[in-house]
């Protein structure tokens, strides 16, 4: 039925208004499934077709009138400049790539991921569509959070073999195709925390791993905040005490639920990056002192920042869940959860020591090939691995080292430049925005975007198609706002 569903979605997107088509795409990000064209080629996902149709529908009317503006003049504050530089070095990195076909496929993959962002950016600049897009981001976040909790509940009624048949061989095969399914079920996955014979689920919901899932829900959290505080007017933020006393919309209960499933993903990098968020909050308050900021916006950010307290408090809720008997097995070690937390700073722990070794090899590779790297999509070469493992997740376990190793130091500089522009734009949007929904969205993004970027020092899971699509949507909304 996947092929028929894809055909139906394609027909709907062709006939529906462009803004409606983009809304449908945003809602469907974690729900798109792989298309079984043949037995050996069944991992081509529906989103790739739908995003291409949306882009062509947007660009086609512009071609006869030559209204498609691709770039502006070179400006430090213009986000397009670093993106074009990054694209240029991605293309140039094909030259040293050992597998040039793999490199070209990787470029096409990222270009495909970016198509809807281009359309969304244009629509949001020319209308009030940004508010509508923001509100609809909450839909997939709610869906994957609820599915994650259902997944957690299932561990108390079935054993590990039944779990793998349902979530691995059943659901994941249909979501991502047999190639990924075989890798996840037979070669390895990140779905469980192992301590000897003890086993605990790391919630991954509808995602291929427990690393991309928490990034997705955190990136979607600003939309939840925007909806929850929609009963407030911008002037209501002038009284911080009144804000704490006033009841928000019921959807606010999603905030602690999102925090909880992010903790239960067992992703230690997400836990550690939360400390970095606290430091970033201090940076924002310092910028408040150096910028003319209305009292309403200062109070709103203080209000949003206090929810970080809830995140840390929820570890007390996660603890009994993590150490409880799952998969019909008993657990004798109630220090299991604490051991996982302590392992964050244990450099001798297997996962940490392997990461450090990979970082060292990545640095050596960057020193050896600083300008164009080993070629985009060819990272396994850095570790002396088979290029097939690129599909299985072979990476530098650090987004920034990964980009430098694959495409060179100039590409890394361009990416950091873009991220700086994005964060700076988010801050200025927040302090100047008069629209309540946009103000809350930008304010909460000052918490969640740095969270994901700091987590990326330990992983490259943001490259997962679902997480990256939401990052593209988030960035497009923020960059489209005129101030």
């Amino acid at each position: 039925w996947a092929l028929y569903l894809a055909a139906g979605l394609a027909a709907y997107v062709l006939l529906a208004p462009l803004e409606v088509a983009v809304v449908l795409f945003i809602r469907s990000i974690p729900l798109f499934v792989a298309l079984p064209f043949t037995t050996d080629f069944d991992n081509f996902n529906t989103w790739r077709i739908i995003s291409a149709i949306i882009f062509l529908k947007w660009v086609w009317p512009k071609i006869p009138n030559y209204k498609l503006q691709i770039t502006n003049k070179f400006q430090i504050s213009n986000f397009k400049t670093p993106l074009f530089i990054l694209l240029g070095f991605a293309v140039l990195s094909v030259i040293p790539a050992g597998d040039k076909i793999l490199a070209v496929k990787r470029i096409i993959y990222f270009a495909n991921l970016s198509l809807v962002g281009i359309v969304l950016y244009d629509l949001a600049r020319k209308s009030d569509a940004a508010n509508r897009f923001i509100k609809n981001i909450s839909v997939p976040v709610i869906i994957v959070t609820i599915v994650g909790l259902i997944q957690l509940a299932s561990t108390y009624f079935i054993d590990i073999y039944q779990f793998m048949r349902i979530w691995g061989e059943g659901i994941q095969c249909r979501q991502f195709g047999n190639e990924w399914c075989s890798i996840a079920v037979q070669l390895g996955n990140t779905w469980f925390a192992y301590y000897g014979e003890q086993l605990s689920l790391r919630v991954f919901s509808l995602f291929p791993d427990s690393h991309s899932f928490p990034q997705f829900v955190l990136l979607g959290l600003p939309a939840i905040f925007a909806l929850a505080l929609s009963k407030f007017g911008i002037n209501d933020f002038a009284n911080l005490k009144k804000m704490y006393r006033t009841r928000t919309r019921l959807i606010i209960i999603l905030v602690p639920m999102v925090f909880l499933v992010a903790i239960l993903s067992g992703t230690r990098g997400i836990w550690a990056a939360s400390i970095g968020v606290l430091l970033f909050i201090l940076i924002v308050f310092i910028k408040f002192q150096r910028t003319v900021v209305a009292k309403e916006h200062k109070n709103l950010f203080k209000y949003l920042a206090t929810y970080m307290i809830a995140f840390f408090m929820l570890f007390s809720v996660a603890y009994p869940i993590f150490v409880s008997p799952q998969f019909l097995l008993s657990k004798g070690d109630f220090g299991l959860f604490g051991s996982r937390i302590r392992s964050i700073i244990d450099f001798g722990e297997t996962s940490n020591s392997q990461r450090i070794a990979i970082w060292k090899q990545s640095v050596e590779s960057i020193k050896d090939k600083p300008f164009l790297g080993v070629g985009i999509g060819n990272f396994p070469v850095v570790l002396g691995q088979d290029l097939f493992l690129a599909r299985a997740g072979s990476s530098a376990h650090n987004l920034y080292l990964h980009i430098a190793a694959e495409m060179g130091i100039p590409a890394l500089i361009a990416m950091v430049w873009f991220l700086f522009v994005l964060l700076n734009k988010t801050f200025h949007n927040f302090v100047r925005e008069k629209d309540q929904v946009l103000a809350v969205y930008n304010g909460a993004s000052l918490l969640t975007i740095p969270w994901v970027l700091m987590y990326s020092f330990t992983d490259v899971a943001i490259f997962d198609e679902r997480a990256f699509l939401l990052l593209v949507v988030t960035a497009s909304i923020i960059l489209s706002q005129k101030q």
Side-chain angles (χ1 to χ4, degrees), residues 227-245:
L227 278 177
L229 301 183
S230 60
K231 65 186 297 183
F232 291 94
I234 197 72
N235 293 328
D236 293 328
F237 300 140
N239 190 326
L240 186 58
K241 291 182 179 179
K242 182 179 178 181
M243 286 182 65
Y244 286 124
R245 292 195 302 264

Side-chain angles (χ1 to χ4, degrees), residues 1-2 16 63 68 80 135 194 197 205 210 215 223 227 241 264 273 285 289 304 332 334 404:
W1 55 264
I63 294 176
L68 181 60
K80 297 177 186 177
K135 292 174 182 177
Y194 300 92
E197 296 181 354
S205 187
S210 56
Q215 292 187 82
L227 278 177
K241 291 182 179 179
L264 291 174
F285 281 126
Q289 302 302 317
L304 294 170
F334 291 99

Side-chain angles (χ1 to χ4, degrees), residues 202-337:
R202 297 177 57 186
V203 177
F204 57 93
S205 187
L206 297 176
F207 290 74
D209 57 66
S210 56
H211 299 146
S212 55
F213 168 57
Q215 292 187 82
F216 184 91
V217 292
L218 287 176
L219 286 172
L221 199 55
I224 302 295
F225 275 118
L227 278 177
L229 301 183
S230 60
K231 65 186 297 183
F232 291 94
I234 197 72
N235 293 328
D236 293 328
F237 300 140
N239 190 326
L240 186 58
K241 291 182 179 179
K242 182 179 178 181
M243 286 182 65
Y244 286 124
R245 292 195 302 264
T246 304
R247 183 178 300 174
T248 64
R249 297 193 184 279
L250 187 60
I251 196 174
I252 198 69
I253 65 173
L254 261 296
V255 174
M257 289 173 65
V258 165
F259 281 154
L260 181 60
V261 293
I263 294 171
L264 291 174
S265 71
T267 305
R268 296 171 299 171
I270 290 292
W271 303 349
S274 64
I275 305 299
V277 175
L278 299 182
L279 297 176
F280 192 82
I281 290 172
L282 291 177
I283 293 173
V284 172
F285 281 126
I286 292 172
K287 285 182 69 67
F288 281 163
Q289 302 302 317
R290 300 178 180 180
T291 310
V292 178
V293 183
K295 182 180 179 181
E296 292 85 353
H297 292 84
K298 288 183 180 179
N299 286 344
L300 173 57
F301 188 74
K302 290 177 184 177
Y303 178 85
L304 294 170
T306 54
Y307 274 87
M308 289 301 297
I309 298 173
F311 175 78
F312 294 109
M313 291 178 63
L314 283 166
F315 275 89
S316 64
V317 178
Y319 173 79
I321 296 174
F322 207 87
V323 302
S324 61
Q326 295 177 346
F327 306 110
L328 307 182
L329 297 171
S330 62
K331 289 181 182 173
D333 182 7
F334 291 99
L336 184 149
F337 188 56

Side-chain angles (χ1 to χ4, degrees), residues 22 34 54 101 136 163 232 249 274 311-312 362 375 412:
V22 173
I54 290 174
I101 294 177
N136 280 279
F163 183 90
F232 291 94
R249 297 193 184 279
S274 64
F311 175 78
F312 294 109
S362 299
L412 173 63

Side-chain angles (χ1 to χ4, degrees), residues 459-478:
D459 213 324
V460 299
I462 194 64
F463 285 161
D464 169 72
E465 55 195 35
R466 285 156 168 73
F468 198 88
L469 281 170
L470 188 53
L471 177 63
V472 168
V473 168
T474 301
S476 299
I477 291 172
I478 291 170

